[in-house]
Amino acid sequence: MMRVQCSIEESLYRPEAVRWRKRMKLLEPIGEAVVILPCSMKKPYSTSRSHQIFRKVTRRIQEVILTSPFAICPREMENTYPISSYDVSTTGRWSWEEKKVTGEVLSEYVKDRDVIAHVTGGYREVCEEYLDECKFTCINGKPTSKESMENLKENIRGYKRIPARIKLFNGLKSIAKYQFGEKGANIIPEDFKIKGRYNKIILDKDNNHLHTLMMDRGLYVPTLHGGRLLADLKIKWVEIDFKLDSNTLFAPGVVDADPNIIPGDEVIITRKEELVGVGKAILNGEEMIKAEYGVAVKVRHRTK
């Protein structure tokens, strides 16, 4: 997968970073408190040595990682592109602009929840400047030291553990919101089932395969069953007026399309508002309507 290079301050305004921060506003933490952690060079964060140490005590509550230029990454989003594939220096020094952009997103995310900030340096400055109140737990500027980890553990102990099933459900919904917008949370039923060691297959209570969570990008690929949920919600739709009998949908065949579609999105194809296929967008929604040639959607599944 293509790496996202974020080595200069202008990276704050890369489309991927701006889009990520905007979509983080759709997410909210669960539980009574949020623990804030520093990012790591290694991605996903939980594969790094520091986060493996953190997770021994933080996995029981909501975790959020501070990182520039993306601002925040709730733990459940760490496998999602582009946060899973960016390169940035982790010097710990933050510019005024980085602190402002990150602090505003962080403040909106945590809202009125209790905050435990296990951070130092620029990360700590963000918390001090943009959060009304938080408890700092690092000792001697060393987040992974035994003393710091004992202090973090002691401060977490007073909060209720989030049940694993609830945490998983919230994580799956968060990814769906990020990918499909706020209404996207509804594509994950409360009585979902999940299977698979790497890619995660999401099933409904009747064992219908709804979506596959592809772990290389951390995003969903819907089946026709999942596509029907998206059709009901009128999300990421492409309308045609002919019988779909090919795995390639060309732009001249598109009558209308969701203006929020961008290239690479998973989309549904409808005819008279009835689902006829699902696939991957090659053009954005506006281009699909206006283009006189070219592929609009690579079709993955079609109705018979």
Side-chain angles (χ1 to χ4, degrees):
M1 184 180 295
M2 185 177 71
R3 304 294 294 182
V4 180
Q5 296 296 329
C6 300
S7 55
I8 57 176
E9 189 169 320
E10 283 73 17
S11 298
L12 285 167
Y13 303 103
R14 284 188 64 134
E16 301 97 328
V18 172
R19 189 180 303 124
W20 177 274
R21 296 195 301 266
K22 183 178 179 181
R23 293 183 184 183
M24 287 301 101
K25 295 178 181 180
L26 300 174
L27 309 188
E28 55 183 294
I30 56 171
E32 301 169 325
V34 174
V35 61
I36 299 174
L37 301 168
C39 66
S40 63
M41 286 289 288
K42 197 169 183 182
K43 315 292 184 307
Y45 302 118
S46 58
T47 62
S48 69
R49 178 181 170 274
S50 60
H51 279 256
Q52 287 173 0
I53 294 171
F54 298 151
R55 297 224 70 202
K56 289 178 181 177
V57 299
T58 59
R59 64 172 66 242
R60 59 173 289 177
I61 67 170
Q62 178 73 60
E63 303 161 280
V64 63
I65 296 111
L66 284 193
T67 183
S68 181
F70 295 93
I72 67 169
C73 177
R75 176 67 74 187
E76 61 268 24
M77 300 300 299
E78 70 172 346
N79 288 297
T80 302
Y81 185 83
I83 206 81
S84 59
S85 305
Y86 74 101
D87 292 321
V88 67
S89 63
T90 52
T91 61
R93 294 189 299 273
W94 290 53
S95 69
W96 176 86
E97 188 77 0
E98 284 178 300
K99 286 190 284 187
K100 180 178 185 294
V101 167
T102 301
E104 288 173 352
V105 178
L106 175 65
S107 175
E108 187 167 342
Y109 176 76
V110 302
K111 293 186 173 66
D112 58 354
R113 279 176 172 77
D114 289 357
V115 177
I116 302 165
H118 195 69
V119 290
T120 61
Y123 302 102
R124 178 168 177 146
E125 290 169 15
V126 170
C127 297
E128 288 174 333
E129 292 174 31
Y130 287 89
L131 298 180
D132 292 335
E133 191 176 337
C134 58
K135 175 70 175 179
F136 292 101
T137 51
C138 283
I139 296 173
N140 298 326
K142 298 176 180 177
T144 58
S145 71
K146 184 177 179 181
E147 294 80 9
S148 291
M149 291 307 301
E150 282 297 324
N151 196 25
L152 177 60
K153 186 175 182 179
E154 185 61 34
N155 278 274
I156 287 175
R157 188 174 284 134
Y159 296 101
K160 291 179 183 175
R161 179 188 296 270
I162 302 169
R165 170 82 182 185
I166 292 175
K167 202 168 188 186
L168 175 60
F169 184 44
N170 181 68
L172 295 175
K173 288 197 300 177
S174 294
I175 295 166
K177 284 184 187 179
Y178 173 82
Q179 185 173 353
F180 296 111
E182 192 154 18
K183 291 192 294 184
N186 295 304
I187 71 168
I188 307 298
E190 200 163 337
D191 52 6
F192 76 93
K193 301 176 186 178
I194 188 167
K195 67 178 184 179
R197 284 192 170 185
Y198 184 64
N199 295 328
K200 305 300 182 187
I201 295 173
I202 312 299
L203 309 165
D204 64 17
K205 67 180 190 309
D206 299 318
N207 291 319
N208 292 311
H209 179 184
L210 300 176
H211 326 280
T212 301
L213 180 56
M214 307 297 291
M215 297 310 290
D216 61 340
R217 288 181 65 83
L219 295 170
Y220 295 109
V221 172
T223 65
L224 286 172
H225 285 291
R228 289 189 181 95
L229 297 177
L230 290 167
D232 290 342
L233 298 164
K234 293 183 167 49
I235 295 173
K236 303 289 184 182
W237 51 272
V238 178
E239 178 76 8
I240 62 174
D241 60 1
F242 63 95
K243 188 177 187 302
L244 184 65
D245 55 8
S246 164
N247 288 336
T248 304
L249 173 59
F250 291 96
V254 175
V255 175
D256 202 359
D258 184 342
N260 295 313
I261 292 171
I262 62 173
D265 276 353
E266 294 295 324
V267 298
I268 59 169
I269 304 165
T270 58
R271 183 186 182 196
K272 297 178 181 176
E273 298 191 356
E274 291 292 320
L275 181 76
V276 295
V278 294
K280 184 176 182 178
I282 305 301
L283 303 175
N284 68 38
E286 186 177 349
E287 290 169 337
M288 288 183 192
I289 301 167
K290 293 182 176 179
E292 296 179 359
Y293 60 89
V295 177
V297 181
K298 285 284 188 182
V299 182
R300 187 175 287 108
H301 303 291
R302 292 180 279 123
T303 56
K304 301 299 183 186

